[in-house]
Amino acid sequence: MNEIIEKLKDITRKPIFLKAAMAAGILAIVLILVSDLSDGGSKKSTEAEENTPAAFGYSDIYADSMDSRLCELLTSIEGVGKAQVMLTVDSTEEYVYAETKKVGTSQAENSYVIIDKGSQKEALVKKVNNPSIKGVVIVCEGGDDPRVCEKIYKAVSTALDIPTSRIYVAEMK
């Protein structure tokens, strides 16, 4: 056994072995980089097509969309004037999958409904719940008028189905 170990040590100390090991290592790194680049593009385009979170999460996109819609709504209220809205969300979107229930003699068994999408199988999405809203900050020109603030509180609370304690209104400078 010691003879074999000694022979391996001698072989590994030769310059030709070191060059071959370096070349193999560099080749392995290049192959990994090439495979990541070729797979990365297709994965990103697939994610964009499926509307799944990528660089920005769905909750960020949802919050931005709601910000602009809420700002448009508020500026149409008399006395508000220009407005800026910041909406924060508490969680991400939630998928609810369709299930089937098989009732046996001794127990019930639930399983997801699976559909074929070409070469892939996926669970059937029954419903997508939007992220829950944590709070809203509104800065507007009419933010110092109590009557305007009351209109804003009612509109935002109704539109987003959140309590007024999660809404803050301030005057724009």
Side-chain angles (χ1 to χ4, degrees), residues 25-26 34 60 78 90 97 100 106 112 134 143 147 150 152-154 167 172:
I26 292 171
V34 168
D60 295 330
E78 184 179 346
D90 192 26
Y97 296 100
T100 59
S106 62
Y112 293 118
K134 201 158 127 178
R147 291 175 293 174
E150 185 62 26
I152 292 171
Y153 281 115
K154 286 182 179 178
I167 304 166
M172 185 178 280

Side-chain angles (χ1 to χ4, degrees), residues 79-83 139-145 170-172:
V80 173
K82 292 181 183 176
V139 180
C140 63
E141 290 178 341
D144 61 336
D145 184 349
E171 180 184 15
M172 185 178 280

Side-chain angles (χ1 to χ4, degrees), residues 1-169:
M1 183 69 146
N2 287 338
E3 287 179 28
I4 296 172
I5 293 173
E6 289 299 320
K7 286 182 180 181
L8 286 174
K9 284 182 182 178
D10 289 340
I11 291 172
T12 57
R13 289 187 183 135
K14 292 183 179 181
I16 190 79
F17 178 80
L18 293 175
K19 289 179 183 176
M22 287 291 289
I26 292 171
L27 181 63
I29 291 171
V30 168
L31 287 174
I32 290 170
L33 290 174
V34 168
S35 69
D36 281 349
L37 290 175
S38 65
D39 289 345
S42 64
K43 285 181 185 175
K44 287 179 184 173
S45 64
T46 303
E47 286 178 357
E49 290 169 6
E50 295 177 0
N51 294 326
T52 58
F56 293 101
Y58 175 80
S59 58
D60 295 330
I61 295 167
Y62 177 75
D64 287 343
S65 169
M66 292 303 292
D67 283 351
S68 61
R69 290 177 65 194
L70 195 56
C71 189
E72 186 178 324
L73 173 74
L74 293 175
T75 55
S76 66
I77 295 175
E78 184 179 346
V80 173
K82 292 181 183 176
Q84 291 181 333
V85 176
M86 181 179 153
L87 187 133
T88 56
V89 291
D90 192 26
S91 61
T92 62
E93 66 184 335
E94 176 186 10
Y95 290 95
V96 179
Y97 296 100
E99 294 183 88
T100 59
K101 184 181 261 188
K102 295 179 183 175
V103 180
T105 56
S106 62
Q107 62 185 5
E109 182 182 311
N110 288 351
S111 62
Y112 293 118
V113 176
I114 305 297
I115 57 172
D116 286 328
K117 279 194 163 182
S119 62
Q120 298 178 359
K121 292 185 178 184
E122 293 182 5
L124 178 63
V125 177
K126 182 178 178 182
K127 154 174 126 170
V128 179
N129 294 330
N130 286 324
S132 61
I133 296 169
K134 201 158 127 178
V136 181
V137 175
I138 299 148
V139 180
C140 63
E141 290 178 341
D144 61 336
D145 184 349
R147 291 175 293 174
V148 173
C149 286
E150 185 62 26
K151 291 177 188 178
I152 292 171
Y153 281 115
K154 286 182 179 178
V156 173
S157 178
T158 303
L160 300 178
D161 194 27
I162 61 171
T164 56
S165 61
R166 292 196 199 165
I167 304 166
Y168 177 74
V169 179

